[in-house]
Structures are given as C-alpha cells and as structure tokens.
C-alpha cells in the first residue's frame, strides 16, 4: 500500500487488526511502527520474526523514502531529519496516535530523529543495536570484526572505518558482503532474507554513508533530553557495527526515569536473530506495560 507523505509516495504494510473481539467489546491494540535498518534495505528484513507480536499490537511496516518500495524524492532530503519528519507525517496521514516506534540500527537513528523533533508524538520507543552519534568507537569496531571474523575481516573493517575512501571500491564492497556481513550476528542468518529484500544501495553508498556523509557526522546527544516517552534500548555485547559502548552511551543520555537498557551477552547486531526468545519476551512485556 502507498500513501503520499511530504510529497513522496511511501510504501507500508500492515499485519494484524487494530480492534479484536474481546467478550462484549472490541479491544484496541496499540500500533507498533517498524522502522527498518540499512539504509538501502526494506521492511521485509523484520519478517517473519516480528510477526510473533501481532497478537498484542497492530504492526505497521514502513519503507523509508529512497528505500525499498518507496519513492526516492529529492536526494538532498535523504537525511535523518527528513526521515524522522516522514515518520511523524506518515502517522498523521493514517491517523496513528501514540505509536510504539521500533527501529533497529539505521531505523533506530530515524526513530531518534523523529522522537527528538516531535517529542509529544510517540507513545513508546524501542531502539535496537543503534547509536546516537555517527563515527563513534571506530577502533572498537575494527577489533570486534577481527575477533569475530579473523584477520581478513579485520582488515576489511580497518579499511571501512579508518580508511573510508579505500572502502568504497567495488572489490571491497563485495568482500564486505561475503565475509563481514556474516559476522554481524552470532547465529547464521537465513539466506532467503537477503534474497527477499529490495536492495537500494545508492542511498547508503552515494549519500548517507559516503565519505563525510551524515552517517559519520550526525550527533543527536544534545537533543536526547527532549524525549518524553518510555524508551527501551537493547544491545548485543558482540555487536561489531554498533559496539555496546555506543548503545550504553545512548541509554545513559536519555532521561533516567524513562529508559530501560538491556544488554545481551553473546549477541551481535540486531539481537533478535541471536536471542529471539529473550528479545521477543522483552519486547512483548514493553509493549504491554501500562
């Protein structure tokens, strides 16, 4: 399904109904709005894992502008502020009130942009394997990739994080896909996940994550105290893309009375692939909490 938001047609999908029969009444479920990672991916990376939450929430999957099935819009608007504003406008167009917004990795950055720019809008935030400022803990990332993947992967990580100009050539990108991505998580990912996804690499390679791009420059720490809603931060202690230290920094900067920070030992990037039972139980409890 498509809806026009801020001049761009965005694709979204819905899993589960908003109201369900409950004895003599209809029970309303909260909306769980899923913001996918990448950038350059689509919402399919969340499926079918998060379908397990459809009994307690109506799940709405959104493809960001320039990603998945959504339109590009002007490239100069491929930035966190615009993606965050799109989330706000998307909810208003569809009449979504007090959404529980979940973002993993890049999706978490978009969620933070949305929540800091529109602090009265979200009902709750769930942030998984993400960070509040770009370019942090570079040496730590390299060390983790080398420990998890060996010297060749460590060398690739050094090129990517410490020599970004060299990391952009085609050979390095192919090696990264083949050798480094498999160590993002401790549990091998379903190969069909990548086959199902609509990949739009330009938004990352030639814009957001290009040398000197926003992925290296953004800093939302000065605005984090604007967040007003309960926020769950989940991080894997073996996450090589966003080391647990960056996630601890994020949690520490949020209003103390609102934040819940959960560390997952022996888990990598995304957490859910490595510890699905614990992660889903935690998310379920957070969604149901009054």
């Amino acid at each position: 399904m498509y809806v026009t938001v801020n001049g761009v047609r965005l694709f979204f999908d819905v899993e589960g109904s908003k109201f369900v029969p409950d004895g003599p009444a209809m029970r309303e479920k909260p909306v769980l709005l899923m913001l996918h990672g990448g950038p350059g991916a689509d919402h399919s990376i969340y499926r079918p894992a998060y379908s397990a939450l459809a009994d307690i929430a109506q799940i709405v999957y959104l493809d960001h502008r320039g990603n998945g099935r959504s339109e590009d819009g002007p490239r100069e608007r491929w930035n966190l502020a615009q993606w965050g504003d799109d989330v706000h406008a998307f909810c208003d167009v569809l009449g979504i009130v007090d959404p529980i917004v979940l973002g993993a990795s890049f999706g978490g950055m978009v969620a933070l942009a949305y929540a800091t720019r529109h602090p009265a809008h979200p009902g709750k935030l769930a942030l998984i394997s993400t960070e509040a400022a770009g370019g942090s803990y570079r040496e730590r990332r390299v060390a983790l990739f080398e420990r998890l993947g060996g010297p060749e992967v460590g060398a690739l990580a050094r090129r990517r994080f410490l020599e970004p100009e060299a990391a952009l050539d085609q050979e390095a990108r192919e090696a990264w896909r083949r050798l480094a991505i498999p160590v993002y998580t401790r549990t091998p990912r379903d190969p069909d996940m990548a086959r199902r996804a609509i990949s739009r690499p330009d938004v990352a390679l030639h814009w957001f994550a290009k040398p000197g791009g926003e992925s290296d420059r953004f800093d939302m720490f000065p605005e984090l105290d604007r967040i007003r809603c309960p926020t769950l931060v989940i991080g894997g202690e073996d996450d090589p893309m966003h080391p647990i230290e960056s996630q601890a920094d994020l949690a520490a900067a949020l209003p103390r009375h609102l934040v819940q920070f959960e560390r997952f030992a022996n888990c990598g990037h995304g957490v859910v692939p490595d510890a699905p039972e614990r992660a889903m139980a935690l998310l379920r409890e957070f969604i149901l909490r009054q």
Side-chain angles (χ1 to χ4, degrees):
M1 294 178 283
Y2 288 89
V3 63
T4 298
V5 173
N6 291 330
V8 174
R9 291 176 73 240
L10 300 183
F11 179 85
F12 71 100
D13 205 354
V14 178
E15 188 167 14
S17 57
K18 176 64 173 170
F19 291 90
V20 293
D22 186 9
M26 296 294 285
R27 175 171 53 86
E28 184 177 7
K29 294 189 293 185
V31 170
L32 177 63
L33 178 57
M34 304 290 295
L35 305 182
H36 66 78
D42 71 351
H43 76 277
S44 70
I45 60 177
Y46 284 137
R47 306 173 82 167
Y50 285 85
S51 297
L53 300 173
D55 63 322
I56 60 170
Q58 182 183 48
I59 305 176
V60 178
Y61 302 94
L62 175 66
D63 288 358
H64 309 293
R65 68 169 61 208
N67 292 254
R69 293 172 174 82
S70 291
E71 288 184 344
D72 286 354
R75 286 196 170 198
E76 60 269 19
R77 294 189 180 179
W78 288 354
N79 56 65
L80 289 172
Q82 183 64 67
W83 283 313
D85 287 350
D86 285 348
V87 173
H88 176 265
F90 171 79
C91 290
D92 283 356
V93 168
L94 292 187
I96 297 173
V97 178
D98 296 329
I100 301 170
V101 178
L102 185 152
S105 193
F106 165 74
M109 301 169 197
V110 175
L112 284 171
Y114 152 72
T116 53
R117 293 171 66 82
H118 307 279
H121 202 263
K124 296 179 183 178
L125 291 178
L127 308 170
I128 303 176
S129 303
T130 195
E131 63 182 356
S136 63
Y137 295 98
R138 293 175 179 271
E139 293 283 358
R140 177 67 173 145
R141 299 185 203 200
V142 173
L144 282 165
F145 271 110
E146 184 164 9
R147 176 168 69 83
L148 296 170
E152 188 174 4
V153 173
L156 285 170
R158 183 166 295 278
R159 291 184 67 188
R160 172 165 181 168
F161 297 116
L162 303 181
E163 305 167 16
E165 291 286 353
L168 289 179
D169 64 76
Q170 182 61 39
E171 182 181 355
R173 291 200 298 268
E174 173 57 28
W176 186 268
R177 184 194 65 78
R178 182 169 47 88
L179 300 174
I181 288 180
V183 304
Y184 280 27
T185 57
R186 306 306 302 273
T187 303
R189 292 196 176 188
D190 178 0
D192 286 337
M193 178 184 294
R195 299 186 184 111
R196 288 192 297 263
I198 294 178
S199 179
R200 304 274 299 279
D202 277 1
V203 68
L205 296 176
H206 304 303
W207 201 262
F208 185 73
K210 68 182 180 181
E214 190 179 18
S215 66
D216 286 335
R217 296 182 288 100
F218 80 94
D219 183 359
M220 285 185 273
F221 279 105
E223 286 80 44
L224 292 183
D225 62 356
R226 302 189 71 222
I227 291 177
R228 303 180 189 176
C229 63
T231 303
L232 175 64
V233 179
I234 300 176
E237 294 186 350
D238 288 335
D239 184 347
M241 282 302 292
H242 297 306
I244 193 66
E245 292 86 352
S246 65
Q247 300 175 64
D249 290 346
L250 164 60
L254 291 166
R256 178 174 292 185
H257 66 291
L258 296 175
V259 68
Q260 177 183 353
F261 179 37
E262 299 288 342
R263 302 169 63 118
F264 280 61
N266 302 312
C267 287
H269 191 62
V271 174
V272 170
D274 287 337
E277 291 186 6
R278 180 189 168 196
M280 283 298 166
L282 185 63
L283 287 168
R284 178 175 289 271
E285 190 278 331
F286 181 68
I287 291 169
L288 292 173
R289 186 185 309 161
Q290 296 299 315

